[in-house]
Amino acid sequence: MLALELVVVLGAALVLGHVIGNRLRIAPPIVLLAGGVLLGFVPALREVPLPPEAVLLLFLPALLYWESLTTSLREIRSNLRAIVLMSTVLVIATAGAVAAVGHALGLPWGAAWVLGAAVAPTDATATGVLARALPRRTVTTLRAESLVNDGTALVLYGLAAGITVGAEHFTLPHVSALFLLSYAVGALAGVLVALAGVRVRARLADPLLGNVALLLIPYTAFLLAEAVHASGVLAVVVCGLIMSQAGPRVASAETRRQATAFWSLATFALNGSLFVLVGLQAQNAVRSLTSTGIAKAALAVLVVSAVVVGVRFAFLFTSPYVIRVLDRRPQQRARRAGARMRVVSATAGFRGAVSLAVALSVPRTLDSGAPFPERDLIICVTCGVIAVTLVTQGLLLPVVVRWARLPRDTDVEAERHLARTLAAEEALAALPEVAAGLGTAPEVLERTRREYETHLAVLRAGHGDGDGEDEMALTYNRHYGELRLAMIAHKRATVLRLRDERRIDDTVLRQIQAHLDIEEVRLTGRESAE
């Protein structure tokens, strides 16, 4: 019964958190995190465990897959060097710095490295929510970094925990083999699942079956990689990037609309629930702390948080200058980011679900039977660092963005206008030949030609490169849209009245209303830009 109650509580917290966050102009993840901490005061919810497998196997594959599907592969290619450095070198440097500080605070070296591996990676879901208003290049780099760096952190964690427990040994060839297995085999697993997924989706004409297959893809990629001890996270990311390129060619329009609606809702619910559960687990971690006092744990949280942020700032303000010395190509100079942009990127280094999953995965005992050293402190500090980075950096990021005075990113708008205009122009040019091939009546051909010419005139006028006639077309289009929306409202009222009078069935109502809704969405332009 507690599971059902937890579902209701998480749903209510998700709705209230977003309503409160939007009204107070605070990022909803921060409110959800605080709500989770408050829910920890409820005795029944206080005992709810959060198994690391739930985060790694239930939440992460779906969330990472959607992030991969909706990111820009072109921008990843353009910024690949920065992404690779931030997802490997920065993670290792952060883990090492935290390990040194943790050891100075009294942790054994093994436990200190476990803590470092836990808090080193940034969180893809938090970055996607909190940094979405940044320019496309910055957002893509941050999202790609947080998608890939989980694999590095998990290898570091496995090595540190294995050595501490007594199941692993540290040699350079062994460590190199672990990283090679994690990245190369994980990427290969993602490629294989993506290729299979493309073939399966191409053979499924039913939108429902196609989207069930799509739902299985990230979990299959994750499980296949984990079965051979490779990076399931990287497998999901690679699989998602491949599907983002192949998917538009193998799926029907209805399948894509259904998939977008489902994944948008599912990832929204999973993401929000995860923030609530992190807050709930943070309070539970404080209550379960027995190996040390609250004051020492709080000091460790503040120091480790400062180290995590400081290392990120130091890396972003040193590595670009090293690259500039080594690479003086003109294209490299064109992609240089200014100091203000680097401050924004450094501020957006949030920690989240992967860090919590790593901390909760720490073994309870060593091979000798002794308890794992400072396990409760590792979990407590990790939860604290997640909370500190989400709250402080989440509140600070809008202020930093305003201070940075970043130029407005108009590339997406310009490219969207280019695509729509060229698509309309080429369709209009091909219209006579297509109509002849279909045997279309001349009256229908003329009507379609006028509609496309009007549409093209509206596009040109809306972009400021039209003439007086195009401006008239823009006014005509606005009046036409307003009239069509008013007529749709009348149609909907009529259909509802017929249902209420029992002259048509609810099934008929839903079918007609679905068509009216599609037309309304098209006229109001509310469809997702992605």
Side-chain angles (χ1 to χ4, degrees):
M1 189 63 178
L2 181 59
L4 179 58
E5 294 170 351
L6 182 61
V7 169
V8 174
V9 168
L10 286 176
L14 182 61
V15 173
L16 288 174
H18 278 270
V19 170
I20 294 172
N22 292 333
R23 287 190 177 181
L24 299 179
R25 296 185 179 180
I26 299 175
I30 299 174
V31 181
L32 294 172
L33 182 72
V37 174
L38 293 176
L39 288 174
F41 289 103
V42 180
L45 296 176
R46 189 182 305 160
E47 305 301 324
V48 173
L50 181 59
E53 295 82 5
V55 178
L56 289 174
L57 301 181
L58 176 62
F59 288 89
L60 276 188
L63 295 173
L64 294 177
Y65 186 63
W66 182 243
E67 288 289 327
S68 303
L69 280 178
T70 55
T71 197
S72 170
L73 183 58
R74 186 187 68 179
E75 288 296 313
I76 289 177
R77 291 189 182 121
S78 300
N79 299 281
L80 185 60
R81 179 167 55 192
I83 292 169
V84 170
L85 289 174
M86 294 173 70
S87 59
T88 54
V89 177
L90 177 56
V91 172
I92 295 172
T94 303
V98 171
V101 170
H103 183 66
L105 292 174
L107 287 175
W109 273 114
W113 271 101
V114 168
L115 175 61
V119 300
T122 54
D123 184 65
T125 57
T127 300
V129 173
L130 294 169
R132 63 177 56 175
L134 299 178
R136 178 175 56 174
R137 177 188 173 188
T138 304
V139 172
T140 302
T141 303
L142 292 171
R143 290 173 70 182
E145 173 205 356
S146 56
L147 287 171
V148 178
N149 63 15
D150 298 338
T152 306
L154 290 172
V155 171
L156 289 176
Y157 161 73
L159 185 63
I163 292 175
T164 305
V165 169
E168 290 280 3
H169 59 283
F170 181 84
T171 62
L172 186 59
H174 180 61
V175 174
S176 301
L178 286 177
F179 275 98
L180 180 63
L181 175 66
S182 176
Y183 281 95
V185 180
L188 178 61
V191 171
L192 294 176
V193 173
L195 294 177
V198 170
R199 290 180 175 274
V200 170
R201 292 198 71 194
R203 286 168 169 75
L204 295 175
D206 188 339
L208 288 174
L209 294 179
N211 282 310
V212 170
L214 184 63
L215 178 62
L216 293 175
I217 287 175
Y219 295 99
T220 304
F222 192 93
L223 290 175
L224 178 61
E226 290 292 321
V228 293
H229 305 289
S231 172
V233 169
L234 191 61
V236 172
V237 172
V238 170
C239 183
L241 290 174
I242 295 175
M243 291 300 297
S244 72
Q245 303 302 301
R249 292 186 172 89
V250 299
S252 65
E254 186 178 356
T255 301
R256 287 194 298 271
R257 287 181 60 86
Q258 192 179 92
T260 300
F262 168 77
W263 281 97
S264 298
L265 176 60
T267 53
F268 176 81
L270 287 175
N271 211 348
S273 300
L274 196 54
F275 286 119
V276 177
L277 290 173
V278 167
L280 191 63
Q281 191 63 42
Q283 196 202 81
N284 186 51
V286 174
R287 291 180 179 276
S288 303
L289 190 62
T290 58
S291 63
T292 189
I294 297 295
K296 180 181 177 181
L299 175 63
V301 167
L302 294 178
V303 173
V304 171
S305 298
V307 169
V308 164
V309 175
V311 170
R312 185 175 182 86
F313 268 88
F315 182 85
L316 289 176
F317 275 87
T318 54
S319 60
Y321 298 103
V322 175
I323 293 174
R324 291 178 187 181
V325 171
L326 300 176
D327 187 355
R328 294 184 174 276
R329 293 177 299 169
Q331 57 265 42
Q332 168 59 31
R333 295 193 187 99
R335 299 197 64 81
R336 289 176 179 175
R340 290 176 180 262
M341 178 68 78
R342 293 200 294 274
V343 171
V344 172
S345 297
T347 308
F350 311 102
R351 268 60 185 176
V354 173
S355 296
L356 180 61
V358 168
L360 295 176
S361 300
V362 176
R364 294 185 178 276
T365 59
L366 307 179
D367 282 352
S368 63
F372 194 97
E374 308 286 357
R375 181 180 185 273
D376 57 343
L377 181 60
I378 292 173
I379 296 175
C380 184
V381 172
T382 301
C383 290
V385 171
I386 294 172
V388 168
T389 56
L390 281 177
V391 174
T392 58
Q393 293 178 266
L395 293 175
L396 192 60
L397 183 60
V399 178
V400 174
V401 170
R402 288 194 295 270
W403 164 82
R405 296 193 298 274
L406 301 178
R408 182 171 174 266
D409 188 356
T410 59
D411 290 344
V412 174
E413 181 181 343
E415 291 175 10
R416 182 167 58 244
H417 179 265
L418 172 66
R420 295 179 67 184
T421 303
L422 283 180
E425 288 175 347
E426 294 188 9
L428 184 61
L431 182 60
E433 181 181 351
V434 173
L438 295 174
T440 306
E443 296 81 3
V444 176
L445 171 61
E446 181 60 23
R447 175 184 172 183
T448 305
R449 184 187 62 79
R450 287 198 305 268
E451 290 177 352
Y452 267 82
E453 287 177 346
T454 301
H455 175 61
L456 192 55
V458 169
L459 287 175
R460 290 168 176 166
H463 204 248
D465 53 2
D467 53 21
E469 292 184 2
D470 289 340
E471 293 293 341
M472 291 178 60
L474 189 62
T475 303
Y476 168 85
N477 184 70
R478 185 175 66 253
H479 290 171
Y480 174 79
E482 293 171 351
L483 181 60
R484 288 290 301 273
L485 288 172
M487 292 299 98
I488 289 173
H490 277 280
K491 284 184 178 180
R492 186 176 287 114
T494 300
V495 175
L496 286 170
R497 191 190 74 242
L498 291 174
R499 193 279 310 270
D500 294 340
E501 294 173 353
R502 299 184 182 180
R503 296 168 64 183
I504 63 172
D505 188 62
D506 290 289
T507 303
V508 177
L509 167 67
R510 286 192 293 269
Q511 292 172 351
I512 296 177
Q513 196 168 46
H515 288 286
L516 294 175
D517 290 344
I518 291 173
E519 189 174 2
E520 181 178 340
V521 168
R522 181 180 63 83
L523 289 169
T524 55
R526 291 175 185 166
E527 294 191 82
S528 171
E530 290 182 337

